[in-house]
Structures are given as C-alpha cells and as structure tokens.
Amino acid sequence: MPKNCNFIEKLREVGLRPTKQRIKICEVLYNREKTFHFTVNDLVKMISEQMSQKISLATVYNTVHAFEKKGYLKEISIDSQKTYFDTNTSAHHHFFDEDTHELIDCDGSDIDKINIRKTITGKKINSIEVLVRIASDNQNQK
Amino acid sequence: MPKNCNFIEKLREVGLRPTKQRIKICEVLYNREKTFHFTVNDLVKMISEQMSQKISLATVYNTVHAFEKKGYLKEISIDSQKTYFDTNTSAHHHFFDEDTHELIDCDGSDIDKINIRKTITGKKINSIEVLVRIASDNQNQK
DNA sequence: AGCTACATTATAATTATTCTAAACTATTGA
DNA sequence: TCAATAGTTTAGAATAATTATAATGTAGCT
C-alpha cells in the first residue's frame, strides 16, 4: 500500500489540495521514524535532492505555514534570523547548541513541569517554551 | 552633576570610546527608573526624536551588540524576525503578548526555578530561558 | 473533456541586519 | 596646543530570510 494515500487524506483533512509538491513535502516531513527540526531552507534542499523538478520557495513557505496554522508543525524561537520548525508537535522543550546550531528535544522527564504563578487579566497562556542554550565546556580542558 | 559622567566612565570600562552618539544611546537606555525592552528600530526612533542630528543604524547596531557582548544588555528570542533587547540583565523570564507584541518581565516569584535533569557531555548550560506566550482570552467573551 | 477555483512558480518587494570604505573625531604624546 | 593615529560614524550597498505578486498550471467537480 503506497504511503502517499495517508498524506492525501491528511492534506484533505487540513483543507489543502493534495498536489505533487505538497505530497512531497509530507513525505519528507512525516515519512520517518523520529520527529525532527528543520528550517525552510533545509526542507527545500531535501526536496530538491529527491525530486527531478524543483520546488519553489514560495510553495514551501505557504505549505509549511499552513501546516503550522493547523498544528501539524511547531515553530521554535531562537535568536538567529532563521525560523526553525519541529515535526514534534507535543508540548516539549529544547536545548540549543550554540556551537553547532543544533536543536535537541527534551522530553517530560528532563524538565519539571513549569508552574506559572503570574496571571494577566483577559489573557490566556498559549504556550510555555523553555530554551536551554548550551555550548562546549572549555573551562576544564584549558 | 551631569549624569553623563557615569556613562562616559561606563563606556570606558566597556572599552568603548565615549562619543556623542554612544553617550546618547546610554542616556536613552539607562537614564530611566525601570528596565525596558526594545528593538534596534525602537532605539533609533527614540534617539532621533531627542537629537537634532540623526544617528546611523550601523552605529546603533554596533553599540548595542558591544553592550550585549559585555553583558550590559540581553537579547531575547521571539519567533518574529525582530531581535528584542532587554536592559534588565539579571536572570528572569518573559511573557510575550502575541496580540500587542509586548514583552513583560517575570520576576523570581512568578516562575519556580527550572531544574534541568538532562546533561550533554562536554557541554555546559549557558542560559535557561522561559517564554510564556499569551493572547487575549476570547473564550469567555463570545 | 472542460470549467473553475485554488496552487505553483519565478521574480520582485520587503525587512532586518551586516558590511564597506570614506570621512570624522577622541585620545595620546610632542 | 596641535598633529598623528587609531578607533568611530556614516550613508549606502550587500545579504539573507521571508512575503507579495501576477501569470501560468492543475486538481476536482460536473
């Protein structure tokens, strides 16, 4: 059974027409064991390597943002200019390696649940994100 | 006693020459009761309003980054393309209002200390940042 | 098969930031 | 006090990520 059928259904559910390009995007994003992190640029590169015809940047941006809006992707904030996305949409936190610019997932046992005592009237909490910045520890090696 | 003397000393300590422009930047950043958040653009606007001659974007970027490197300013990561800076350099976390794009400080009593159980060999933790995204709560008003 | 609405695409536009090189100025020492 | 010099400022160009545009293409209904 071709896996693409799932993606066609998935796209329909989300209200997107299943086109060649979008199915390809789905394949690259979701046809894998583990969730992963990527930038739009990464994604375009991956797709270009796997397709004969090239895909437009605009299409990738549009589709990725459509997925994000529907909750199939999560955006991650890091100070660099680039926007990272995560195919792991469950609530979790991240380590960011400032040397390699690599993002690493934390699971529930790595960080205790964050308890926010402050409330702001008329506002609800959309999300709580923890970013732990790490870098090589040269202290001991010198 | 003119307050500028402090800024001249401060700049010298940081290893920057105290020029008109830099002193003006210091005044706008540190001549106030409370710490605050800003983007480089905000800062240029504030300075332009207070000075007859205009200040170059490049100067502001250079100076702000010099301060940041020395620990006199903190950079804050938010998904938008803009980089926010904070004159409050102590360890603290933030609320980000997604409606108004306003940043709000949390103090120690708002969020418990974050305990990270995960360690990555050869890497040290540089910082732990919590960002709580909030937005207007329309659930009850509809 | 053909219509129509939605998609894709290349390209231009926009925005934030960094770079560059020429003009300027604070500091140092004579 | 004044000139030399090393660091600064500046306007504008360059870059990079992202978004908008408008012409062309295509999925899905009839």
Side-chain angles (χ1 to χ4, degrees):
Chain A
M1 188 205 289
K3 293 174 192 163
N4 290 352
C5 291
N6 307 329
F7 296 141
I8 292 176
E9 279 165 32
K10 181 169 189 164
L11 285 164
R12 285 240 172 78
E13 274 168 30
V14 171
L16 294 174
R17 277 197 191 162
T19 61
K20 272 199 297 293
Q21 290 85 349
R22 284 180 178 160
I23 290 169
K24 191 70 204 175
I25 291 172
C26 283
E27 280 174 31
V28 172
L29 291 183
Y30 302 112
N31 243 351
R32 49 176 77 222
E33 297 285 309
K34 292 182 186 174
T35 60
F36 78 121
H37 308 109
F38 64 94
T39 65
V40 168
N41 235 322
D42 296 338
L43 193 49
V44 170
K45 257 187 227 150
M46 286 187 252
I47 290 172
S48 298
E49 286 165 9
Q50 296 183 27
M51 280 218 299
S52 49
Q53 49 177 277
K54 78 188 243 211
I55 193 166
S56 157
L57 251 186
T59 301
V60 178
Y61 272 105
N62 292 340
T63 307
V64 163
H65 281 135
F67 278 137
E68 195 227 334
K69 202 169 288 173
K70 297 290 179 173
Y72 284 86
L73 285 176
K74 256 174 68 171
E75 210 179 305
I76 300 167
S77 339
I78 292 169
D79 64 80
S80 108
Q81 272 68 257
K82 293 182 195 173
T83 300
Y84 287 76
F85 290 93
D86 192 342
T87 61
N88 179 355
T89 56
S90 66
H92 67 288
H93 304 299
H94 293 97
F95 278 52
F96 182 64
D97 188 324
E98 304 205 301
D99 301 322
T100 63
H101 282 209
E102 196 187 356
L103 262 177
I104 301 162
D105 276 1
C106 296
D107 61 28
S109 61
D110 294 328
I111 299 182
D112 290 326
K113 194 175 177 190
I114 313 291
N115 182 30
I116 311 285
R117 292 209 198 76
K118 189 187 185 96
T119 55
I120 292 176
T121 48
K123 301 282 177 177
K124 68 174 192 306
I125 291 177
N126 277 350
S127 68
I128 299 173
E129 298 162 19
V130 179
L131 186 67
V132 182
R133 290 172 187 279
I134 59 175
S136 76
D137 184 3
N138 293 324
Q139 290 313 101
N140 306 325
Q141 292 160 23
K142 270 185 188 169
Chain B
M1 188 206 287
K3 293 173 192 163
N4 290 353
C5 291
N6 306 329
F7 295 139
I8 291 175
E9 279 166 31
K10 180 169 193 165
L11 285 165
R12 285 241 171 76
E13 276 168 29
V14 171
L16 294 173
R17 277 196 191 162
T19 61
K20 271 199 299 289
Q21 291 84 349
R22 286 181 176 157
I23 290 169
K24 191 70 206 175
I25 291 173
C26 284
E27 280 175 31
V28 172
L29 292 184
Y30 302 111
N31 243 351
R32 47 177 75 221
E33 296 285 308
K34 292 183 186 176
T35 60
F36 78 121
H37 308 110
F38 63 94
T39 66
V40 169
N41 232 324
D42 295 339
L43 193 49
V44 171
K45 256 187 229 149
M46 286 186 254
I47 290 172
S48 298
E49 285 164 9
Q50 297 183 25
M51 280 217 301
S52 49
Q53 49 178 276
K54 83 189 240 212
I55 192 166
S56 157
L57 251 185
T59 300
V60 177
Y61 272 104
N62 292 341
T63 306
V64 162
H65 281 137
F67 278 138
E68 195 227 333
K69 202 169 289 172
K70 298 288 179 176
Y72 284 86
L73 284 176
K74 254 173 68 170
E75 209 179 307
I76 300 167
S77 339
I78 292 169
D79 65 81
S80 109
Q81 274 65 257
K82 293 180 195 174
T83 300
Y84 287 76
F85 290 92
D86 192 343
T87 60
N88 179 355
T89 56
S90 67
H92 68 287
H93 304 298
H94 292 99
F95 278 51
F96 182 64
D97 188 325
E98 305 205 300
D99 301 322
T100 63
H101 283 208
E102 196 188 356
L103 264 176
I104 301 162
D105 276 1
C106 295
D107 61 28
S109 60
D110 294 328
I111 298 182
D112 290 326
K113 195 174 176 192
I114 312 291
N115 181 30
I116 310 284
R117 293 210 198 77
K118 190 187 186 95
T119 56
I120 293 177
T121 48
K123 301 283 176 178
K124 67 175 195 302
I125 291 177
N126 276 350
S127 67
I128 300 173
E129 300 164 16
V130 180
L131 186 67
V132 181
R133 291 172 186 281
I134 58 175
S136 75
D137 185 2
N138 293 322
Q139 290 311 103
N140 306 326
Q141 291 162 24
K142 273 188 186 166

